[in-house]
Each structure stands twice: as C-alpha cells, then as structure tokens.
Amino acid sequence: MNIFESNWGKTISFFTVFVVALAAVFYYLENSEIDEIPRMDLNAMEENFRQKNRTCFILGASGETGKALLKKIVERNIFSNITLIGRRQLTFEDKAYENLVQKVVDFEKLDEYAEAFQGHDVGYCCLGTTKAKAGAEGFVRVDHDYVLKSAELAKAGGCKHFHLESSKGADKTSSFLYLKTKGQVEAEIEDLGFERFSIYRPAVLLVDREESRPAEWVARKFLCAFSSVFPTMSIPITAVARAMVVNTLKDGEQKVEILENKAIYNLGEIGDKE
C-alpha cells in the first residue's frame, strides 16, 4: 500500500511539473505573437455587408468546422444566398436552413461541375481528412487536389474572397506529409491571385463529439482548460467559425493574410460578443 502511494505521489508530482513546463512553453509562444486586435462595431459591419448583397459557398459543410461556420453565417444573415457544395445532400430540421442551395458534386470530376462554383463573391473551404481515415494518398487527394481544384473553379467563377482552413505549422518544405500538404496547397492557391485570400491556421481543434473514447474526453477537457489562457495551444471549433465570419466582415489589409491560432482566437472572441 505504501509502495502504491509512493508511486502515485511520484506520478502526480511528475504530471504537475510537466503541466507547469508545458504552460511555460506556451506562455512564451503566446507572448511572441501579435496581440493587438482593433475595436470593431460588428452590428454596423454586418449591416454594411448586407447592403452589398453578396453570396457565398461553403465546401465541407458536413464537417465539424463547416457545420459551425454554416450555423454562424445563417444566424448572422449576412449573405443574400448561401450555397453548400459537397458530395451529398445534407438535411436540416431548422427552418432557418430552408433557403440554402445545395450542389452535389463528384470531387473526382470537379471540372464537370464548374457551374456550382460560379457567381459567388465569397468562398469558404473547410475540406479535409486524415491519413488515418483515408490513407496517405487519400489524404493528399482531399486536402490538396480537391481543395486546389475547388479554388481554381471558384476563381474562374468570379469568387473574390477565398477562405481556407489550413493548420498550425503548415509549411510546404516540411518533412511531415500533413504539414507539407497544407503548406503546398496554401502556396498554390495564393498563386491563383484572388482579390483576397485568408488562410486560417488553427492549432488543436476542440469539439464535443456525441461519442468519444475516455482518453479523448480527458485530453479535450485538459486542452479546453488551457485554451482561454494559452490560445496558441488549442482552439474551439466555434471560435474558428466566428473568426471566419468576423474576418469576412472586416476590410482586408493585405491581399494574402495568414491568421495563426492566437489571431483566430482573438477574432473569435470579438465574434462572441453580441
């Protein structure tokens, strides 16, 4: 019993030291990023945006970020028309979604569905999968090929502002397939020359799933506890969605903008203040 208590005590001590060290690292990272966020009158920005009578499309609306983004856009009512582009028809019980336009496409033959990408002012791309789900080739096909082809068709169809959900650490020169693929598609879409291209690089995405393993639940609770204190470490899906909406409303200062995790978090905080 004494041996058990001794080992348990050592484990707790080690975990405490680990958490403190981890917190120190993220505190340093946190304070190395730009922290200044301008004051915004969201109500005035929304009203001004509505008067422009703009339309948008969303890719990946069935995914966690896409669902949260769609919910925010519908709630804000900032677009005159919203089109969902995906591999299957989505069903919604809430009447707020009844005016959505849905375009079902075959991502392997996207050129045949160019019409779905025509006539939109703003495009949101939340497409993505993982190597675990699709294998290495499948991951590249979705996160690079599908995303890039969609961006090409959107640009040809008149899209002016393209939003891309990428990942923290994206780097086309990385030796890691995930980060390299994300970095490559960022660079190739930038070359398309959108009037405005917004790249979002969130860290660990936090979302409450209906079913999850105990380890996932513990990890999520741990990261949630630190997300508001150290926004470089993780971020709720809803904060990413809010940030994308707020960033749509504000004037772009640069043709290409990269929003790292803390910048996303800060914009999301603004979007959460009604």
Side-chain angles (χ1 to χ4, degrees):
M1 186 66 175
N2 291 333
I3 294 177
F4 173 78
E5 291 177 349
S6 176
N7 289 337
W8 179 248
K10 289 180 181 179
T11 300
I12 294 297
S13 298
F14 174 79
F15 182 74
T16 301
V17 171
F18 172 76
V19 169
V20 171
L22 189 63
V25 170
F26 281 104
Y27 179 82
Y28 170 78
L29 293 174
E30 181 71 8
N31 287 278
S32 67
E33 295 185 15
I34 296 174
D35 198 22
E36 188 175 338
I37 296 294
R39 298 174 66 86
M40 300 179 187
D41 184 344
L42 284 185
N43 290 330
M45 292 167 65
E46 287 178 2
E47 184 56 35
N48 179 61
F49 193 87
R50 288 190 194 98
Q51 292 177 6
K52 297 176 182 178
N53 199 38
R54 291 182 176 171
T55 64
C56 78
F57 71 81
I58 301 176
L59 286 159
S62 62
E64 298 297 343
T65 303
K67 284 189 290 188
L69 174 63
L70 174 60
K71 183 174 184 293
K72 276 297 168 188
I73 288 177
V74 170
E75 288 176 352
R76 296 291 188 180
N77 190 31
I78 56 176
F79 290 103
S80 61
N81 181 273
I82 304 169
T83 299
L84 307 184
I85 302 176
R87 65 174 72 248
R88 61 185 174 84
Q89 192 88 2
L90 302 181
T91 57
F92 303 95
E93 295 181 0
D94 194 326
K95 289 186 177 181
Y97 295 84
E98 63 184 3
N99 292 324
L100 295 177
V101 176
Q102 297 199 51
K103 301 285 187 178
V104 177
V105 302
D106 182 347
F107 283 99
E108 292 292 334
K109 304 174 182 178
L110 270 183
D111 281 321
E112 298 179 10
Y113 299 87
E115 179 272 334
F117 294 87
Q118 293 177 357
H120 307 291
D121 300 296
V122 181
Y124 300 95
C125 182
C126 302
L127 282 179
T129 186
T130 63
K131 286 175 60 179
K133 289 182 179 179
E137 290 185 8
F139 164 71
V140 173
R141 184 180 300 114
V142 173
D143 284 58
H144 178 274
D145 299 351
Y146 293 177
V147 170
L148 180 58
K149 174 55 69 172
S150 295
E152 290 174 348
L153 293 174
K155 179 64 169 61
C159 180
K160 299 176 178 63
H161 187 184
F162 192 81
H163 300 256
L164 174 66
E165 181 187 20
S166 185
S167 171
K168 186 176 181 68
D171 182 355
K172 64 181 180 181
T173 66
S174 175
S175 58
F176 295 98
L177 178 64
Y178 182 83
L179 299 179
K180 181 178 182 179
T181 301
K182 294 291 187 180
Q184 285 178 331
V185 79
E186 286 181 4
E188 290 170 31
I189 293 177
E190 180 178 348
D191 289 341
L192 296 178
F194 282 97
E195 289 185 18
R196 186 178 174 194
F197 178 34
S198 300
I199 301 169
Y200 303 83
R201 291 179 176 175
V204 178
L205 294 169
L206 303 177
V207 57
D208 286 325
R209 302 180 187 277
E210 293 181 1
E211 296 181 4
S212 62
R213 298 189 179 108
E216 290 178 343
W217 184 88
V218 172
R220 187 168 63 247
K221 293 302 179 183
F222 173 77
L223 290 172
C224 281
F226 280 88
S227 65
S228 60
V229 181
F230 305 110
T232 52
M233 187 176 184
S234 60
I235 189 167
I237 287 281
T238 51
V240 178
R242 290 195 302 265
M244 294 175 84
V245 172
V246 172
N247 198 40
T248 300
L249 300 174
K250 66 191 286 285
D251 294 328
E253 298 178 357
Q254 301 176 20
K255 186 174 182 179
V256 178
E257 56 187 354
I258 298 176
L259 287 81
E260 297 291 351
N261 199 67
K262 187 180 179 184
I264 299 171
Y265 181 88
N266 287 337
L267 276 183
E269 284 287 284
I270 294 173
D272 194 31
K273 297 175 181 178
E274 301 296 339

